[in-house]
Amino acid sequence: MSFAFMCHHSSFLVYESLADNTQERWNKTTHISIGAAAILSLLFAVAGYVTFTGYVQGDVFENYCWGDDLMNVCRGFYAVTILLTFPIECFVARDVLETAFFQDYQPQPFFRHAVLSVLIAILCMLFSLTTDCLGIVLELNGIVCAVPLAYILPAFCYIKLEEGGLITRSKLPAWGVATFGVVSFIVGVVSLFRNIEVLSQCSHGKQMFYCFPEINDTVVDLDL
């Protein structure tokens, strides 16, 4: 969840893209978008677990058989969603490269804009083609990157930059967030190394056993 909602890096680009980028409008935009995403994630998580219980997969689409036409349509919509979402990450990477290496060569010409965009997309594609099982990669990325960026560093920055002592009533929520982040980081690292063998195994693309009723002598009851 920390990895899914770690959108700090897009905040400046989104804020600048608002037609009327006031603080009130920004608060409304972020609360509605993140709140809607959290509700949808919770609905899918609960529905997936209630339907498949102990057999539920990290990707709930893996629980549905390949012959399910409705789920195949949903897989297509999901692929389109990813295709439309991925460029947002490229925008951030391109903006970072512009700031780091071409700050003295502004405004950005179209040629450099196109070259950086294509290079970022190609590099990401090459990395993605090396494997189709990224479970352990996302797990490690979420622990090492997402948790500090989402909980620890912002809280400590607020504690340091806000006026007053380190421990005041107004800073207690920030301390709570930072503590939660540190605990999550430690628990995540311990859990990762304890389950390293399980996370390293990839069952991507395999159909669940209940998709082959002709192999089973009896009908599988998912409630068992």
Side-chain angles (χ1 to χ4, degrees):
M1 294 298 291
S2 299
F3 179 75
F5 292 112
M6 190 189 65
C7 51
H8 296 67
H9 59 288
S10 301
S11 298
F12 294 104
L13 294 177
V14 175
Y15 178 79
E16 292 177 356
S17 67
L18 290 176
D20 182 19
N21 52 1
T22 61
Q23 184 65 46
E24 181 180 358
R25 187 175 177 84
W26 172 248
N27 292 342
K28 183 178 180 180
T29 301
T30 53
H31 290 164
I32 292 177
S33 58
I34 299 299
I39 292 173
L40 289 175
S41 296
L42 183 61
L43 288 176
F44 277 101
V46 172
Y49 184 78
V50 169
T51 303
F52 300 104
T53 60
Y55 300 110
V56 67
Q57 302 295 302
D59 180 3
V60 72
F61 282 126
E62 295 288 336
N63 283 105
Y64 291 94
C65 305
W66 294 352
D68 192 325
D69 295 334
L70 178 60
M71 285 301 107
N72 288 334
V73 172
C74 293
R75 290 185 178 100
F77 282 128
Y78 181 71
V80 173
T81 302
I82 295 300
L83 288 175
L84 296 177
T85 305
F86 179 73
I88 298 178
E89 306 303 323
C90 293
F91 295 161
V92 177
R94 187 180 61 210
D95 190 65
V96 170
L97 291 176
E98 279 289 327
T99 303
F101 299 104
F102 304 103
Q103 190 171 9
D104 297 331
Y105 302 94
Q106 298 297 328
Q108 181 189 54
F110 176 77
F111 177 77
R112 190 170 73 223
H113 171 92
V115 170
L116 288 177
S117 301
V118 172
L119 285 178
I120 293 172
I122 291 177
L123 288 175
C124 292
M125 182 190 69
L126 292 177
F127 278 115
S128 66
L129 291 176
T130 59
T131 179
D132 63 348
C133 185
L134 298 177
I136 190 171
V137 177
L138 294 177
E139 185 87 11
L140 184 62
N141 191 20
I143 295 171
V144 177
C145 299
V147 171
L149 287 176
Y151 300 108
I152 301 175
L153 294 179
F156 282 156
C157 288
Y158 174 81
I159 293 171
K160 178 65 176 179
L161 298 176
E162 183 67 11
E163 296 181 357
L166 292 178
I167 302 178
T168 60
R169 178 176 296 181
S170 62
K171 295 182 180 181
L172 289 180
W175 278 109
V177 172
T179 302
F180 173 78
V182 172
V183 173
S184 299
F185 180 85
I186 296 174
V187 173
V189 171
V190 173
S191 176
L192 175 65
F193 283 100
R194 289 186 61 183
N195 301 291
I196 190 70
E197 294 183 1
V198 176
L199 293 173
S200 300
Q201 298 175 359
C202 183
S203 61
H204 176 71
K206 294 183 180 179
Q207 293 197 76
M208 300 296 290
F209 63 90
Y210 49 75
C211 293
F212 305 96
E214 66 278 1
I215 299 179
N216 303 305
D217 295 330
T218 58
V219 177
V220 177
D221 186 0
L222 295 181
D223 294 331
L224 294 178

